[in-house]
Amino acid sequence: MTEAATKLDLDHLRQWIGRSTEASDIVTAQLVKGLRATLFQDIGEPKTGDAAPWTTHWCLAQPVFPMSMLGPDGHPTRGGFLPPVPLPRRMWAGGEIEFIEPLRVGDESTRSSRIADVTVKTGSTGTLCFVSVEHTVTTPRGVAIRERQDIVYRDIGGAAPASPAKAAPPPPVAKHRESHVSDPVLLFRYSALTFNGHRIHYDRDYVTKVEGYPGLIFHGPLQAALIVEFAAKLHGDSAPKKFSYRGVQPLFEGSEFSINANETHAGMELWIANAEGQPTMKGTASW
C-alpha cells in the first residue's frame, strides 16, 4: 500500500456527504453547434427553442478556477465541494441519468449538486475510493434531468488497467453498430466544450510517463454521450427515461471504436467497444 492509500481517512472524507452547490448557465447556439460536431451529428444552424444534444448539461456551468489552484493532473486541488481524496488517479466510474425534458437553445439551466456517498473498496489495482454525486438540472419549465455520477479515485502505483490480463470473452454481437476513430482532436474538442483540464485527455507525456497509460484516454462522459445519442436515434429521437452506465476499461486515442446496441425486453443494452471488439463502457436504457 502506498503512502497516499495509507493516508486515506474514510471517516474524514464522509464528512463531505450532504455538501451541496449550485451553478447556472445558458444553453447557447454556439455550444450546441460545437457539441453536435463532436458527437458526429449534423451541425445545422440551431435557433432559440431548438433541442440541444441530450447530455449538453455536462458542458454547462463547469467550475472555473485560477491556474494557481490546479493540481498536477490539471484538475482543481481537492477539498472544496468534492472531498480531498488523496489517491491521485481520478475517473468517472459510471452513473445513472433520468431524462425528463431536453435542454433547448436559450434556456437558462441551473444544476444543483449534492455529495451522496463516499465509499472505499479494494480492487485488483489496489485501494479504490468512490464518490457519488447527485445532480438535478432545471430550466424555467421545471426539472429537465436527474443524475447520479460515480467518480473513482485510485492509486498511481501498479500497472495501469489498460486491458485485462486474462483472456477476454468473445465480444458480443450487436444488431446496431456505428464506428468512429478516437482522434486526439476529438478528445481535445470535448475537453474544451466541458472546460475539462484533466491532462490524461490531451497531454501524452503526462498520461504515459506519470500515470503509466499507453496513450491519451477517451473521456468517460463522451462515451456515455455517444451511447445516449445512439439510443435516442434508434428510438425515434427519444432519449431513454433512464440510462445507467459503467466504465469497464479505458479507451485510448488513435484506434477505431464502435457504438453498439441490442434490444432487450426492458429496452436496450448498449456499449462502446475498442478496435478488438472488447467493451470499454456498458449501459442499459429504458423508455
Side-chain angles (χ1 to χ4, degrees):
M1 184 178 293
T2 67
E3 183 179 356
T6 303
K7 290 181 178 178
L8 198 154
D9 184 342
L10 181 59
D11 290 338
H12 176 63
L13 298 178
R14 287 183 64 82
Q15 293 177 20
W16 264 253
I17 295 175
R19 291 200 182 194
S20 61
T21 187
E22 189 174 282
S24 297
D25 204 347
I26 295 174
V27 181
T28 67
Q30 184 67 17
L31 170 62
V32 169
K33 289 174 71 173
L35 188 55
R36 284 177 179 175
T38 305
L39 298 178
F40 306 103
Q41 299 177 344
D42 291 336
I43 299 171
E45 290 293 338
K47 301 198 171 39
T48 299
D50 288 353
W54 291 102
T55 56
T56 297
H57 64 291
W58 287 338
C59 302
L60 296 171
Q62 293 302 314
V64 177
F65 292 86
M67 295 296 292
S68 60
M69 291 183 64
L70 300 183
D73 63 354
H75 274 307
T77 50
R78 301 168 188 176
F81 171 63
L82 290 172
V85 179
L87 302 173
R89 277 200 184 117
R90 169 183 162 178
M91 284 183 159
W92 280 32
E96 184 173 273
I97 311 175
E98 181 184 357
F99 293 102
I100 300 166
E101 187 191 66
L103 297 175
R104 298 185 179 277
V105 176
D107 279 347
E108 179 174 355
S109 71
T110 299
R111 182 185 63 245
S112 302
S113 306
R114 174 184 174 275
I115 304 296
D117 201 7
V118 181
T119 58
V120 172
K121 299 179 182 178
T122 301
S124 59
T125 56
T127 302
L128 304 171
C129 183
F130 292 88
V131 177
S132 291
V133 186
E134 294 175 346
H135 303 283
T136 301
V137 179
T138 60
T139 71
R141 297 181 300 280
V143 176
I145 294 166
R146 292 190 180 94
E147 177 182 14
R148 188 197 76 248
Q149 289 177 6
D150 298 326
I151 303 168
V152 63
Y153 298 83
R154 61 178 297 271
D155 213 343
I156 207 81
S163 58
K166 60 183 180 181
V173 177
K175 180 179 179 181
H176 308 281
R177 187 173 185 270
E178 185 177 286
S179 295
H180 301 284
V181 174
S182 56
D183 188 282
V185 178
L186 174 68
L187 305 186
F188 167 80
R189 281 184 160 194
Y190 196 73
S191 287
L193 285 166
T194 55
F195 202 67
N196 182 356
H198 199 182
R199 293 169 67 180
I200 65 172
H201 304 304
Y202 61 86
D203 187 337
R204 192 173 289 106
D205 276 353
Y206 172 83
V207 75
T208 57
K209 296 177 181 178
V210 177
E211 297 217 9
Y213 291 98
L216 300 177
I217 297 176
F218 203 100
H219 309 69
L222 178 52
Q223 293 187 62
L226 290 166
I227 290 176
V228 168
E229 295 295 340
F230 192 54
K233 182 168 68 174
L234 294 172
H235 208 269
D237 294 324
S238 171
K241 290 183 179 178
K242 187 171 289 187
F243 172 63
S244 301
Y245 65 99
R246 63 182 179 88
V248 179
Q249 60 174 318
L251 175 63
F252 297 102
E253 61 167 315
S255 62
E256 184 179 272
F257 69 94
S258 59
I259 315 165
N260 306 271
N262 284 325
E263 285 89 0
T264 67
H265 69 282
M268 284 184 181
E269 61 173 359
L270 303 114
W271 67 97
I272 298 281
N274 59 23
E276 289 73 42
Q278 297 302 323
T280 60
M281 176 173 284
K282 294 181 178 180
T284 59
S286 60
W287 283 263

